[in-house]
Amino acid sequence: MPVLTRLIPSPLVVDIRAGALNDLAGVLADQRISSSGKLAVAISGGSGAKLRERLAPALPGADWYEVGGGTLDDAIKLGDAMKSGRYDAVVGLGGGKIIDCAKYAAARIGLPLVAVATNLSHDGLCSPVATLDNDAGRGSYGVPNPIAVVIDLDIIREAPVRFVRSGIGDAVSNISCVADWELSNRETGEAIDGLAAAMARQAGEAVLRHPGGVGDDGFLTVLAEGLVLTGISMSVAGDSRPASGACHEINHAFDLLHPKRAASHGEQVGIGAAFAMHLRGAREESAHMVEVLRRHGLPVLPEDIGFGVEEFVKVVEYAPQTRPGRYTILEHLDLSTDQIRDAYADYAKAISS
Ligand SMILES: [Zn+2]
């Protein structure tokens, strides 16, 4: 009999709601992820202390590990520190850096990872990739998907609102990433995975079209679900393609050319996505994206994050080099410096009303 379906690597538990953290131990026990409660919890030294105080009584079998920073060395050290204990799972409790370090450490010592995100700043919370700084700059390391993802909306609200905004930019950018993937499929014959594309695009569209704002649970739930589904779409595709296109090349170029001045991931990919949609001739979609980003308090022009026009032109020019082999609207148009300048002026004019 032929195999009629495929299995998708995905978490056993996705728990997104207000108060979810209070039931963490129970949920992990019920799902046989940790029946003994022996957990290695990775947490930040700073803001993590308060969370630890609050959660420690509910997790009596847990050992707590402070994560030094977001480097590959920090992740290796974390794994080494944890490997002598007999744990059922590693819990990454914090923002992106903590979860990425915990992901890598868990993979290194062969334990499943429970991702407990304390902010919604990007789609890495449930992805099969750990982004860590190394001697060459920043690297993306393949790791298993988390076995459980827990997002407590009460905790998300405690984080600065700019984190939620960043997540909005990252989710909405999926629409441009999938358009780049389809373009490459047409132009270069690159295989496209329809399921991964559907998951990533629907996540972006849901966030784009939700009428709510950063303050309400309904919106935060859709955003959190969108980011989780985006992470799983990357597992389905086997790489970051469904959620990384021209907008992400522009983001990487900002980071590489201006490491000290760069804005958040979501702010930069949001600008990149609106501009990329304009470049591909999707004027209405670009304008709609701009309207939504503005409504949520996100930047839409480089000057909104402190960059001049000429600096942005250089960023766009450099962008394709950040991801060799990835075909997007930037590689397709292969614009000269003057053409980028003209295209940007056109974009700025189109959204100026
Ligand atoms: Zn992203």
Side-chain angles (χ1 to χ4, degrees):
M1 170 159 154
V3 177
L4 297 174
T5 58
R6 64 171 160 180
L7 296 172
I8 298 171
S10 55
L12 287 174
V13 174
V14 175
D15 193 8
I16 301 170
R17 65 198 155 94
L21 256 184
N22 301 329
D23 305 332
L24 179 63
V27 168
L28 296 183
D30 286 351
Q31 297 294 328
R32 308 284 186 272
I33 293 169
S34 175
S35 37
S36 73
K38 286 284 288 171
L39 298 165
V41 186
I43 198 158
S44 83
S47 55
K50 240 174 67 191
L51 267 179
R52 174 179 175 174
E53 220 172 274
R54 193 169 123 191
L55 279 176
L59 299 170
D63 289 330
W64 299 76
Y65 293 87
E66 270 186 25
V67 178
T71 70
L72 180 59
D73 283 343
D74 290 321
I76 291 170
K77 265 190 219 145
L78 182 66
D80 284 347
M82 287 172 168
K83 74 179 175 204
S84 52
R86 289 214 184 114
Y87 301 114
D88 297 327
V90 173
V91 178
L93 174 60
K97 256 188 208 166
I98 302 297
I99 290 179
D100 279 0
C101 258
K103 265 186 197 168
Y104 188 90
R108 201 170 147 87
I109 57 175
L111 289 176
L113 177 82
V114 176
V116 182
T118 56
N119 70 56
L120 296 178
S121 61
H122 58 76
D123 59 25
L125 52 105
C126 189
S127 73
V129 179
T131 305
L132 297 164
D133 291 335
N134 57 29
D135 293 344
R138 184 161 288 177
S140 298
Y141 301 89
V143 292
N145 238 346
I147 196 165
V149 179
V150 176
I151 299 172
D152 186 333
L153 300 182
D154 291 337
I155 304 278
I156 298 301
R157 284 174 191 289
E158 287 171 22
V161 67
R162 66 170 196 277
F163 287 122
V164 174
R165 291 195 177 120
S166 178
I168 295 169
D170 206 17
V172 164
S173 81
N174 289 5
I175 294 164
S176 181
C177 302
V178 174
D180 280 328
W181 200 3
E182 290 172 330
L183 173 74
S184 180
N185 175 256
R186 284 195 304 273
E187 297 292 327
T188 75
E190 179 186 348
I192 189 164
D193 187 311
L195 177 62
M199 290 170 80
R201 179 155 42 209
Q202 293 308 313
E205 291 282 355
V207 173
L208 186 78
R209 291 170 199 286
H210 195 289
V214 295
D216 56 83
D217 274 3
F219 179 78
L220 289 178
T221 301
V222 166
L223 176 60
E225 288 175 346
L227 295 173
V228 168
L229 288 175
T230 304
I232 297 172
S233 78
M234 291 189 249
S235 290
V236 171
D239 73 3
S240 62
R241 197 40 151 141
S244 174
C247 48
H248 279 64
E249 293 182 335
I250 290 172
N251 165 68
H252 292 316
F254 268 122
D255 288 347
L256 287 168
L257 297 179
H258 306 284
K260 295 257 150 59
R261 292 167 58 203
S264 74
H265 179 79
E267 287 176 329
Q268 292 178 170
V269 297
I271 294 171
F275 181 58
M277 292 308 282
H278 183 84
L279 281 182
R280 73 180 89 251
R283 302 293 166 100
E284 263 178 51
E285 288 88 341
S286 173
H288 185 210
M289 214 178 256
V290 163
E291 184 192 314
V292 171
L293 293 174
R294 276 189 175 139
R295 177 164 66 81
H296 290 299
L298 276 142
V300 296
L301 292 169
E303 66 201 46
D304 299 338
I305 54 169
F307 287 92
V309 173
E310 284 311 306
E311 286 176 317
F312 184 65
V313 170
K314 287 218 171 64
V315 162
V316 174
E317 196 171 22
Y318 184 76
Q321 292 177 51
T322 65
R323 190 75 208 223
R326 180 146 296 179
Y327 192 86
T328 75
I329 190 65
L330 296 178
E331 288 77 3
H332 180 64
L333 296 175
D334 193 20
L335 300 174
S336 68
T337 313
D338 285 341
Q339 287 171 319
I340 295 172
R341 199 176 287 122
D342 290 348
Y344 175 72
D346 197 39
Y347 164 78
K349 192 169 158 229
I351 65 163
S352 66
S353 54

